[in-house]
C-alpha cells in the first residue's frame, strides 16, 4: 500500500516543481563546455570526406608547424599504444582513428591538439590526407549480395554479414500460415534517425602527472561503465580514474557509447600532461555519433476471417553501418526487438533479424527506446492496421479482439517475454472516448464524400523497459543492477546518490520524492547527487527508461533498510517493543497511542547522539538492486490528421495519449516526459531522416536538412492515464521516458494511411514529408 504524504513532505504522486530547474532557468547549469581548467588546451578531429577509401598517406607536418599546435595524433600513433581500435558494446571492435582505410563519411582520421579552439580547427585543415576511393555500399540489401565489396577486411569472416538471430517457433508459425484464411503483410522501413540532443558530445580529460590521476568530465549517460571501459582499454588503474558527468543537455541514448573524441582527448592529456577539451560541432554530432533505427522490416499476420490473430512472422534487415557499435547491453543481437508481438495474444510467432555492415556511421543506439523496441512497436502497430484494412474491420475493434486479456498477466509471450502486468482495453477506451472516436469516423465518412482527406490513427503499444535483470543484460560482463546510497544527517536532512545519471529527466526531484515517500523526510530536505564516480555507488547509468525500475527501486529498498534501523531507535527512545510501533510517513508511534511518537528527525538525531546499546551509530544504507524482471508500460495513442490536397501537407489536428506506467512518482514530470517524447515521435514521423546518396554522402548531416520541430509544428498534446502497477517493483512503478517515442510514430503513420486508405494506400514510409504525400495524391488523381 502506498501511504499518502502531505504536500509538505511531497512523496509519490505530488507534482512538485523540479529542483534542478532553479539553476537551469537562471542559466546556471554546469555543462561540460562550462568546465575551464588552468592550462587547458583543445582538440579537433580531422574527418574523412569519403565513405569508403584506402588511406594512402597522412602528412601532419604543415599542421604541426602552425604556431600554437601541440600535437597531431593519427591512427598509426594510437596503434603503437595498441589503442587504434576499441571494443564495442556489441562484441565488435571499432577504429578510434582510421588505420588502413576509412569506412564512412566523417570518420575520425586524426586528432589535432592546440592552445586554443581556433588554432586547432585551422590546423585540422592543414592535415594532408591522401585517399584512394573504394566502391561504396549504402544499401544493406546490396551489401549482402555475392560479390559485394568487402567492407571489414579486418574480420575473419569475409562478407558484410554481422549476425543472424532468430527467436520463436519457425515451424509452428509456418504451419499456421499455410492454413490461415487471412494473411496480411507490411514492409516497413524505420529510417535512420538521430537523437540530436541540444548539447553535443564532449569531454575534458585531465591527467595529473603529479598524482597519476585521470579526471574525465564528459557527456556520459553511464559514468561508471565508462570508467571501467577506460580502465580496461587504457590499462589505467580504475581507482586512478574519476569520471564526472556534470549537467547533461539531453542524452536519449546518444551519450552511451564511447566515442573516439573521448579516447583521443585522454591520450592527448596523458601525453601532454595538461587538460584537453574536445567538444563536437552540431554536424559532427549528427554525422558520426550513435544513430538510431535503420531497420528494414517485414511483418506478416495470419488471422481468422473474423480477425482473431493466429501467428506473427517478422523478418528484418538491420543496417549497423561500418562497425557493430550498437550500444545495447542485452544478450540478444537485436536487443528487445522480440517484443514485436506487442499487446496481442499470439499463440505462436517467429522473428528473425540479420545485421549488415554498410558505409555509414556506426551506432544503433537506443534513442529513447530500450534497444529496438521502437522499431518493434511501430512494426506491429502498422501491421495490425494493414490487417484491419484487409479485413475491412475497424482498427480499434480488431485491437480489442486481440488484446492480451487482463487475467492472463503475468503473460508469457510466444517470443519469450513475461509481461509483468497490463490492462490494455481500458487505456484504449479512454483514448477513444476522449478523442470522440465514433463521431470522428462519421465525420470522416462525410468528408470522404466531399473529397476531403482526414484520418484517424491508433497505436496501442506495449513497452519493455528497465534493464537488467542481470541474467539477460550486461555491459562488458558487468551485470545490469543499479544502486542508491542514502545518508541521513543528524538534523534529519538527507543526501542520496545513485548509479544513474539524469540528462533532463528530473532525477534530483523524483528520487528525492521516493526518499520522502519512504522516510517522510520532506523532498526539499533531500539532496540527490549523480554522475561522479568518486562519490556515487557503482551503477550502469540512465537510458532505456531504466532509472525508475532500477535505481528508483534501489532508492526505495535503501530507504526501507534505514526505516528498519530507525524503528529500532524509535523503540529504544519510546521504551517499547519494536512490534508495538506503527509507521506513517515521517514518524513511528505506539499502536493505540498516536501521541507517543518519534519523528524521523528525532530518530536521526538520536542515531548520532543517543545510540541504543548494541547498535552502531549513524543512519545510512546502500542498495544494489537487480530487478527480477523488466517492466512493461503500455498505452493507447490516437491521432487525427487532415491532409491538404493542394500541398500534401499533413496537419495533426488532435493527439490523445493515454499512458500507463504503473504508480507515478511525479505526475507533472511524467507529463513532461510524454510531451517531449511525442514531439520527438512527430519529428521522426514527418521530418527527420539521416539518408545517404550512392557515394555515401550524408544527406541530413545538419539542421538545415535534419529538421527539429519547433512550437510552430508541434500540436497540442492531450494526455491521460490508467494505472496498472508493476507487481515486482518495490513501489509498483514502471519506466515512462521512452513510451511516447515508442508508441507515437505508428499513431501518426496510421492516421495518414487511414486518410488515404480508400484510395488504395496501405503503407507510407517515414518521414512522411509533404512531397511524398503530394506524389501519392497526384498518382491517385486527387491532388488539388
Ligand atoms: O531512465 P529515465 O530517467 O530516462 O526514465 P524513467 O525511469 O522512465 O523516468 C523519467 C522521469 O519520469 C524520471 O524523473 C522519473 O522519476 C519519472 N517517473 C515518474 O515520476 N513515475 C514513473 N512511474 C516513472 C517515471
Amino acid at each position: 500500500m502506498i501511504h499518502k504524504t502531505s504536500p509538505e513532505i511531497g512523496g509519490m504522486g505530488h507534482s512538485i516543481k523540479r529542483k534542478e530547474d532553479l539553476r537551469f532557468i537562471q542559466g546556471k547549469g554546469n555543462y561540460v563546455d562550462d568546465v575551464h581548467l588552468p592550462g587547458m588546451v583543445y582538440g579537433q578531429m580531422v574527418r574523412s570526406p569519403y565513405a569508403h577509401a584506402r588511406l594512402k598517406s597522412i602528412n601532419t607536418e604543415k599542421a604541426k608547424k602552425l604556431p600554437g599546435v601541440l600535437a597531431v595524433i593519427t591512427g598509426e600513433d594510437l596503434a603503437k599504444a595498441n589503442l587504434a581500435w576499441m571494443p564495442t558494446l556489441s562484441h565488435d571492435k571499432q577504429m578510434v582513428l582510421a588505420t588502413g582505410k576509412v569506412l564512412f563519411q566523417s570518420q575520425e582520421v586524426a586528432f589535432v591538439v592546440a592552445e586554443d579552439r581556433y588554432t586547432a580547427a585551422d590546423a585540422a585543415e592543414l592535415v594532408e590526407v591522401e585517399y584512394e576511393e573504394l566502391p561504396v555500399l549504402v544499401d544493406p540489401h546490396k551489401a549482402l549480395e555475392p560479390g559485394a565489396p568487402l567492407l571489414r577486411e579486418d574480420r575473419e569472416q569475409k562478407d558484410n554479414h554481422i549476425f543472424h538471430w532468430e527467436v520463436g517457433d519457425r515451424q509452428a508459425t509456418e504451419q499456421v500460415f499455410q492454413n490461415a484464411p487471412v494473411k496480411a503483410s507490411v514492409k516497413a522501413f524505420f529510417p535512420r534517425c538521430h537523437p540530436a540532443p541540444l548539447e553535443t558530445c564532449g569531454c575534458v580529460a585531465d591527467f595529473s602527472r603529479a598524482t597519476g590521476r585521470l579526471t574525465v568530465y564528459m557527456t556520459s549517460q553511464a559514468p561508471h561503465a565508462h570508467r571501467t571501459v577506460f580502465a580496461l582499454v587504457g590499462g589505467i588503474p580504475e581507482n586512478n580514474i574519476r569520471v564526472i558527468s556534470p549537467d547533461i543537455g539531453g542524452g536519449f541514448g546518444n551519450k552511451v557509447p564511447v566515442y573516439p573524441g573521448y579516447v583521443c582527448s585522454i591520450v592527448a592529456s596523458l601525453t601532454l600532461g595538461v587538460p584537453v577539451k574536445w567538444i563536437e560541432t552540431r554536424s559532427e554530432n549528427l554525422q558520426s555519433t550513435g544513430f538510431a533505427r535503420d531497420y528494414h522490416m517485414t511483418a506478416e499476420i495470419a488471422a481468422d476471417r473474423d480477425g482473431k490473430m493466429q501467428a506473427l512472422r517478422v523478418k528484418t534487415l538491420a543496417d549497423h553501418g561500418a562497425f557493430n557499435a550498437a550500444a545495447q547491453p542485452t544478450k540478444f543481437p537485436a536487443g528487445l526487438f522480440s517484443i514485436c508481438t506487442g499487446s496481442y495474444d499470439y499463440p505462436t510467432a517467429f522473428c528473425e533479424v540479420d545485421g549488415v555492415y554498410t558505409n555509414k556511421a556506426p551506432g544503433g543506439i537506443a534513442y529513447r527506446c530500450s534497444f529496438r523496441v521502437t522499431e518493434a512497436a511501430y512494426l506491429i502497430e502498422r501491421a495490425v492496421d494493414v490487417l484491419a484494412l484487409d479485413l475491412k474491420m475497424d482498427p480499434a475493434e480488431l485491437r480489442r479482439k486481440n488484446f492480451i486479456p487482463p487475467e492472463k498477466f503475468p503473460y508469457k509471450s510466444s517470443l519469450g517475454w513475461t509481461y509483468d502486468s497490463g490492462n490494455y482495453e481500458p487505456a484504449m477506451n479512454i483514448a477513444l472516448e476522449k478523442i470522440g472516436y465514433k463521431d470522428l469516423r462519421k465525420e470522416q465518412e462525410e468528408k470522404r464524400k466531399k473529397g476531403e482527406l482526414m484520418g484517424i490513427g491508433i497505436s496501442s503499444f506495449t513497452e519493455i523497459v528497465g534493464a537488467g535483470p542481470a541474467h539477460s543484460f550486461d555491459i562488458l560482463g558487468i551485470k545490469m543492477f543499479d544502486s542508491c546510497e542514502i545518508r541521513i544527517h543528524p538534523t534529519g536532512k538527507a543526501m542520496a546518490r545513485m548509479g544513474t545519471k539524469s540528462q533532463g529527466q528530473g532525477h534530483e526531484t523524483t528520487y528525492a520524492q521516493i526518499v520522502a515517500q519512504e522516510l517522510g523526510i520532506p523532498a526539499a530536505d533531500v539532496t540527490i547527487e549523480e554522475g561522479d564516480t568518486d562519490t556515487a555507488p557503482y551503477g550502469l547509468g540512465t537510458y532505456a527508461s531504466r532509472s525508475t525500475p532500477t535505481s528508483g527501486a534501489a532508492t526505495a529498498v535503501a530507504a526501507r533498510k534505514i526505516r528498519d534501523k530507525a524503528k529500532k531507535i524509535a523503540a529504544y527512545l519510546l521504551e517499547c517493543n519494536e512490534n508495538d510501533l506503527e509507521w506513517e510517513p515521517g514518524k513511528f508511534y505506539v499502536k493505540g497511542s498516536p501521541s507517543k511518537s518519534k519523528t524521523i528527525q528525532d530518530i536521526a538525531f538520536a542515531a548520532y547522539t543517543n545510540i541504543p546499546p548494541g547498535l552502531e551509530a549513524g543512519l545510512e544504507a546502500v542498495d544494489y538492486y537487480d530487478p527480477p524482471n523488466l517492466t512493461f508500460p503500455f498505452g493507447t495513442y490516437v491521432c487525427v490528421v487532415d491532409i491538404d490536397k493542394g500541398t500534401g501537407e499533413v496537419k495533426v489536428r488532435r493527439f490523445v495519449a493515454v499512458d500507463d506506467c504503473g504508480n507515478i512518482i511525479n505526475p507533472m514530470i511524467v507529463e513532461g516526459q510524454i510531451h517531449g517524447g511525442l514531439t520527438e515521435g512527430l519529428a521522426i514521423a514527418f521530418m527527420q531522416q539521416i539518408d545517404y546518396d550512392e557515394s555515401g554522402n550524408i544527406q541530413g548531416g545538419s539542421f538545415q536538412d535534419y529538421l527539429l520541430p519547433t512550437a510552430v509544428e508541434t500540436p497540442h498534446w492531450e494526455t491521460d492515464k490508467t494505472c496498472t502497477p508493476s507487481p515486482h517493483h518495490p513501489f509498483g512503478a514502471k519506466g515512462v521516458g521512452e513510451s511516447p517515442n515508442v508508441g507515437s510514430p505508428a499513431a501518426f503513420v496510421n492516421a495518414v494511411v487511414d486518410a488515404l486508405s480508400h484510395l488504395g494506400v496501405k503503407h507510407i514510409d517515414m518521414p512522411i514529408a509533404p512531397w511524398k504525400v503530394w506524389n501519392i495524391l497526384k498518382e491517385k488523381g486527387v491532388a488539388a
Side-chain angles (χ1 to χ4, degrees):
M1 185 193 75
I2 295 191
H3 286 280
K4 270 215 163 346
T5 55
S6 64
E8 291 70 40
I9 290 178
M12 298 248 320
H14 292 279
S15 285
I16 59 178
K17 286 191 180 163
R18 299 186 353 150
K19 292 175 168 209
E20 42 273 83
D21 288 349
L22 273 181
R23 64 176 187 280
F24 292 148
I25 60 173
Q26 294 179 70
K28 296 279 198 289
N30 182 37
Y31 299 90
V32 169
D33 207 12
D34 294 321
V35 175
H36 297 284
L37 301 179
M40 191 170 76
V41 299
Y42 299 84
Q44 172 77 41
M45 277 294 174
V46 176
R47 295 178 180 273
S48 168
Y50 296 106
H52 194 198
R54 205 150 311 276
L55 274 180
K56 295 199 75 181
S57 66
I58 304 180
N59 187 342
T60 60
E61 289 313 308
K62 274 191 198 155
K64 281 181 180 158
K65 281 192 189 128
L66 191 73
V69 171
L70 302 167
V72 182
I73 302 169
T74 64
E76 294 206 348
D77 298 328
L78 291 182
K80 286 177 202 144
N82 205 19
L83 285 173
W85 292 74
M86 60 182 173
T88 71
L89 288 176
S90 289
H91 312 287
D92 192 2
K93 56 180 187 165
Q94 169 179 5
M95 285 184 212
V96 177
L97 292 177
T99 49
K101 66 177 186 171
V102 289
L103 284 157
F104 63 94
Q105 190 180 52
S106 254
Q107 185 175 342
E108 299 81 358
V109 173
F111 189 69
V112 179
V113 187
E115 282 166 0
D116 64 81
R117 255 184 201 173
Y118 303 97
T119 308
D122 288 346
E125 299 277 312
L126 296 176
V127 175
E128 294 170 330
V129 188
E130 211 187 328
Y131 297 94
E132 179 189 309
E133 284 186 70
L134 294 168
V136 171
L137 283 171
V138 289
D139 179 343
H141 301 91
K142 286 192 181 153
L144 285 183
E145 282 172 6
L150 178 66
L151 302 188
R152 292 287 301 277
E153 290 160 12
D154 58 288
R155 292 201 321 157
E156 263 172 39
Q157 196 178 315
K158 294 300 172 207
D159 58 27
N160 299 316
H161 186 245
I162 310 174
F163 64 81
H164 174 81
W165 177 63
E166 54 183 60
V167 58
D169 193 331
R170 184 195 283 266
Q171 250 186 341
T173 307
E174 258 163 35
Q175 235 160 32
V176 175
F177 268 93
Q178 271 167 20
N179 304 321
V182 179
K183 290 165 215 167
S185 74
V186 63
K187 210 169 153 192
F189 173 48
F190 205 129
R192 180 176 270 241
C193 55
H194 197 282
L198 271 184
E199 178 202 26
T200 59
C201 298
C203 70
V204 178
D206 180 20
F207 177 69
S208 161
R209 284 183 178 155
T211 62
R213 284 209 101 198
L214 170 71
T215 306
V216 189
Y217 303 83
M218 62 187 280
T219 46
S220 169
Q221 294 181 228
H224 283 97
H226 283 152
R227 186 187 68 186
T228 303
V229 172
F230 296 151
L232 292 174
V233 176
I236 308 164
E238 200 165 352
N239 58 311
N240 276 347
I241 308 175
R242 179 181 188 184
V243 173
I244 300 176
S245 203
D247 285 328
I248 294 188
F252 312 110
N254 186 242
K255 290 167 180 166
V256 175
V258 173
Y259 294 120
Y262 302 146
V263 180
C264 291
S265 304
I266 293 171
V267 170
S269 185
L270 288 169
T271 313
L272 299 168
V274 291
V276 178
K277 180 184 271 192
W278 164 77
I279 304 284
E280 278 173 351
T281 62
R282 171 59 54 197
S283 297
E284 286 179 297
N285 180 259
L286 273 176
Q287 294 172 12
S288 69
T289 65
F291 72 91
R293 330 293 187 232
D294 221 344
Y295 259 36
H296 299 257
M297 311 176 283
T298 309
E300 297 165 276
I301 301 177
D304 292 348
R305 274 187 225 291
D306 64 357
K308 188 79 190 142
M309 298 172 192
Q310 298 176 341
L312 175 73
R313 189 159 58 189
V314 168
K315 195 169 167 57
T316 288
L317 198 55
D319 187 341
H320 281 246
F323 308 102
N324 185 11
Q328 67 100 359
T330 76
K331 59 180 184 183
F332 318 112
L336 309 182
F337 187 64
S338 51
I339 192 70
C340 58
T341 51
S343 308
Y344 310 103
D345 192 8
Y346 282 102
T348 185
F350 178 71
C351 166
E352 59 186 323
V353 182
D354 285 276
V356 186
Y357 290 120
T358 57
N359 290 117
K360 300 178 188 172
I365 50 136
Y367 168 19
R368 214 168 179 155
C369 153
S370 282
F371 326 116
R372 308 301 187 181
V373 179
T374 312
E375 292 90 325
Y378 174 67
L379 183 65
I380 185 66
E381 288 306 305
R382 272 278 49 238
V384 169
D385 259 36
V386 171
L387 176 64
L389 254 181
D390 286 357
L391 289 167
K392 298 190 173 47
M393 254 181 100
D394 180 280
E397 221 25 68
L398 181 63
R399 283 174 170 81
R400 209 184 295 285
K401 193 167 230 158
N402 289 285
F403 277 151
I404 301 160
E407 63 278 6
K408 274 203 172 178
F409 287 90
Y411 171 80
K412 185 114 177 66
S413 82
S414 47
L415 293 181
W417 297 108
T418 303
Y419 295 21
D420 58 348
S421 63
N423 195 3
Y424 301 142
E425 207 175 331
M428 188 171 79
N429 289 344
I430 292 174
L432 296 180
E433 185 68 25
K434 209 170 167 117
I435 207 144
Y437 186 66
K438 279 190 192 140
D439 291 343
L440 284 168
R441 283 283 173 219
K442 277 189 209 134
E443 183 190 335
Q444 185 184 39
E445 222 176 282
E446 275 150 31
K447 286 219 154 122
R448 276 188 182 166
K449 282 182 206 148
K450 290 190 263 171
E452 290 173 32
L453 299 173
M454 74 167 270
I456 308 146
I458 302 171
S459 168
S460 290
F461 63 95
T462 287
E463 258 262 80
I464 169 169
V465 307
H471 55 74
S472 298
F473 293 82
D474 69 82
I475 290 184
L476 301 177
I478 300 162
K479 301 296 183 188
M480 292 206 65
F481 52 83
D482 226 298
S483 59
C484 170
E485 179 201 81
I486 307 175
R487 292 182 182 175
I488 314 294
H489 308 315
T491 54
K493 315 289 178 192
M495 158 70 84
R497 297 187 171 101
M498 290 80 187
T500 47
K501 173 64 204 163
S502 191
Q503 309 120 42
Q505 296 94 327
H507 288 183
E508 286 169 49
T509 310
T510 47
Y511 283 143
Q513 287 185 260
I514 299 171
V515 176
Q517 178 68 39
E518 297 291 338
L519 292 176
I521 296 173
D525 291 348
V526 184
T527 298
I528 302 296
E529 234 185 54
E530 299 173 291
D532 183 342
T533 57
D534 266 12
T535 54
Y538 202 100
L540 280 300
T542 289
Y543 34 86
S545 290
R546 69 185 296 274
S547 301
T548 306
T550 58
S551 271
T555 305
V557 175
R560 287 172 195 177
K561 288 179 188 172
I562 287 176
R563 205 163 69 200
D564 287 345
K565 183 170 177 184
K567 192 174 192 184
K568 291 188 196 318
I569 300 173
Y572 173 71
L573 297 177
L574 291 164
E575 297 176 345
C576 67
N577 191 296
E578 262 188 72
N579 298 331
D580 294 333
L581 289 176
E582 289 279 4
W583 167 258
E584 71 172 49
K587 67 177 182 194
F588 279 106
Y589 61 92
V590 180
K591 272 181 209 165
S593 313
S595 61
K596 287 179 79 182
S597 66
K598 286 291 167 191
T599 66
I600 189 75
Q601 289 78 9
D602 299 333
I603 297 166
F605 198 64
Y608 295 88
T609 58
N610 183 13
I611 307 140
L615 219 58
E616 62 185 30
L619 199 54
E620 58 185 66
V622 59
D623 189 72
Y624 288 80
Y625 188 84
D626 179 12
N629 190 5
L630 290 130
T631 67
F632 295 74
F634 60 90
T636 289
Y637 296 164
V638 191
C639 172
V640 187
V641 298
D642 296 297
I643 297 180
D644 185 327
K645 291 204 296 183
T647 61
E649 209 170 334
V650 178
K651 186 173 179 329
V652 176
R653 190 202 306 177
R654 283 187 69 195
F655 195 102
V656 170
V658 177
D659 272 276
D660 191 321
C661 59
N663 289 328
I664 287 178
I665 306 161
N666 185 319
M668 181 190 69
I669 286 183
V670 166
E671 192 170 356
Q673 291 285 306
I674 291 165
H675 283 204
L678 293 177
T679 308
E680 287 178 320
L682 172 93
I684 290 167
F686 294 110
M687 303 156 84
Q688 299 181 333
Q689 177 172 13
I690 305 259
D691 203 3
Y692 290 78
D693 71 11
E694 285 287 294
S695 311
N697 295 310
I698 304 161
Q699 323 285 294
S702 84
F703 279 167
Q704 272 184 311
D705 301 305
Y706 195 78
L707 306 178
L708 292 197
T710 66
V712 176
E713 294 84 16
T714 307
H716 172 70
W717 308 118
E718 300 168 64
T719 58
D720 210 330
K721 55 180 172 285
T722 56
C723 179
T724 313
S726 167
H728 63 77
H729 186 274
F731 52 88
K734 301 181 178 186
V736 76
E738 64 195 42
S739 292
N741 197 325
V742 166
S744 65
F748 295 117
V749 177
N750 285 349
V752 178
V753 174
D754 183 62
L756 304 170
S757 59
H758 60 296
L759 304 171
V761 175
K762 266 196 184 174
H763 178 70
I764 309 175
D765 272 331
M766 298 183 286
I768 305 184
W771 63 264
K772 238 185 229 180
V773 180
W774 168 247
N775 279 344
I776 294 170
L777 298 180
K778 262 201 321 196
E779 188 192 302
K780 303 288 177 192
V782 296

